[in-house]
Amino acid sequence: MGNPKAGQTVFKLCASCHQLGPRARAGFGPQLTGVIGRKAGSTSDYHYSDAMQKSGIVWSEAQLAAFIRAPDHVVPGTRMRFWGISDEQKIADLLAYLKASAQ
């Protein structure tokens, strides 16, 4: 089980490219508010790679966790340049923070 407060700290790894919250917008990456349950490549304010748009993914917690671990393994051809997070607790914390921030 994740800790949203700890996830806020983990999100700092994401914050150089992604925004979160009611005023979030796309930057180097899409905004992540409400990402869990959202179809991949579907926000209108970001130009996604063809790979992401054609992935057919709807971001469940499990799918997002796998993507956070290894983006290129989940969506080969993604433009996201991130080495991934291997620490399962940090992933759980980040997911808890993303969920809490969507409410």
Side-chain angles (χ1 to χ4, degrees):
M1 180 176 257
N3 177 330
K5 184 76 174 161
Q8 184 175 16
T9 301
V10 177
F11 187 75
K12 291 178 183 178
L13 297 170
C14 313
S16 62
C17 297
H18 299 282
Q19 292 184 13
L20 188 61
R23 295 183 186 178
R25 9 175 231 166
F28 287 113
Q31 60 86 7
L32 297 179
T33 305
V35 68
I36 297 171
R38 184 168 76 202
K39 185 176 188 250
S42 67
T43 61
S44 61
D45 62 343
Y46 185 74
H47 182 72
Y48 292 91
S49 66
D50 287 341
M52 188 62 73
Q53 288 179 333
K54 294 176 182 177
S55 70
I57 293 171
V58 174
W59 292 119
S60 66
E61 288 184 54
Q63 194 73 348
L64 194 53
F67 188 74
I68 291 166
R69 277 185 213 100
D72 285 325
H73 289 113
V74 175
V75 183
T78 183
R79 286 195 312 248
M80 185 162 146
R81 295 296 157 239
F82 180 67
W83 58 92
I85 297 173
S86 59
D87 183 310
E88 294 300 320
Q89 187 60 54
K90 287 183 179 180
I91 293 171
D93 293 343
L94 179 59
L95 292 173
Y97 178 63
L98 292 172
K99 282 180 15 184
S101 297
Q103 298 175 8

